[in-house]
Structure formats: structure tokens, C-alpha cells
Amino acid sequence: MIKKFEIQGVHAEVDDKLKAYVKRKIGGLDRYINKHNRESAHCEVHLKETQAKGKDKFRCEVTLFLPQKTIVVKESALNFYAAVDIAEVKIKQQLQKYKDLHGNGKKYRHIFARFNPKNK
């Protein structure tokens, strides 16, 4: 679980059931973050309810602060649970890109060692 985790409701009440759901879905994304970056990760979730032309829209904004990057995902759906699910999928994709870009380099270490002239 992400240690620093904030959930806020804007124009909506966030009950305990919804908080637990968001913590389980979004808070469990720490497995996609590198081990040395997990402790400094900070997540903010804003749940907003708006009315547009007689329709209720529920919006979920997730901001994930990582050491080299900030990931922001905004999704809207017919209810909060659906918006959280869609935001979770998008954050997973962004975290995979982040992990590929800012990995610890162990994957390529043996390849670079072959080309090092000191080893020959």
C-alpha cells in the first residue's frame, strides 16, 4: 500500500465503503513502483460530483507524485466506482512506462559488461 494517501470529496460525501474501495484499488498500485521509489510515493485522490444538463457525472482525479515524475489521471463515469476502475487501469499503464524509463538498470548490466574493454 502507498503510505501517503489522501482521499477528498468535492461536492460529494465519501463514505467508508468508497474509501476502502479506493484504497484497495489505487493504493495497491505500489507493486508497479520500484522498491527504492515506493517510500517517497505520495497519492492524492479527488472525487467530484457535477451536474451537466440534468445528468450526474462522477469524476475521479488521481495524482501520483513520484521522485522523477508526477502522474495525473482524470476520469469521469456514471458512478464513482466505475471512474476509480478506469483511473486504475490508466495509472497502471503510466506506471509501466515510468518503470521502463526510470528502472534500476539491472536488466542491461550484463549486456554493457560484455562491451567493457576492462573485462577483455
Side-chain angles (χ1 to χ4, degrees):
M1 289 295 265
I2 297 175
K3 294 179 183 177
K4 298 177 185 175
F5 198 82
E6 299 176 18
I7 301 173
Q8 297 177 353
V10 180
H11 302 295
E13 285 189 32
V14 181
D15 58 345
D16 294 334
K17 188 177 175 183
L18 182 59
K19 282 185 182 180
Y21 186 78
V22 171
K23 280 189 179 183
R24 186 181 57 184
K25 288 293 213 175
I26 306 295
L29 293 175
D30 66 336
R31 70 182 86 151
Y32 297 101
I33 303 172
N34 292 336
K35 289 182 182 178
H36 61 279
N37 291 336
R38 282 184 191 164
E39 294 177 6
S40 59
H42 176 235
C43 185
E44 293 180 0
V45 179
H46 299 280
L47 301 170
K48 297 180 182 179
E49 182 178 355
T50 60
Q51 284 189 337
K53 296 181 183 177
K55 293 184 180 179
D56 290 333
K57 277 196 157 185
F58 299 93
R59 187 174 181 101
C60 176
E61 294 182 12
V62 180
T63 307
L64 185 61
F65 299 99
L66 297 170
Q68 290 95 8
K69 189 175 182 181
T70 302
I71 298 174
V72 179
V73 173
K74 298 177 183 177
E75 277 304 317
S76 58
L78 296 175
N79 58 24
F80 282 131
Y81 296 100
V84 169
D85 288 339
I86 296 169
E88 177 199 14
V89 172
K90 288 194 174 188
I91 289 249
K92 278 183 190 178
Q93 293 170 351
Q94 292 292 325
L95 282 175
Q96 288 290 25
K97 289 179 186 178
Y98 174 80
K99 196 172 184 180
D100 290 342
L101 186 63
H102 299 288
N104 57 4
K106 287 184 180 179
K107 187 182 342 179
Y108 302 107
R109 188 174 298 160
H110 67 281
I111 294 172
F112 292 129
R114 290 183 187 173
F115 299 112
N116 192 355
K118 294 179 183 178
N119 293 339
K120 291 183 180 179

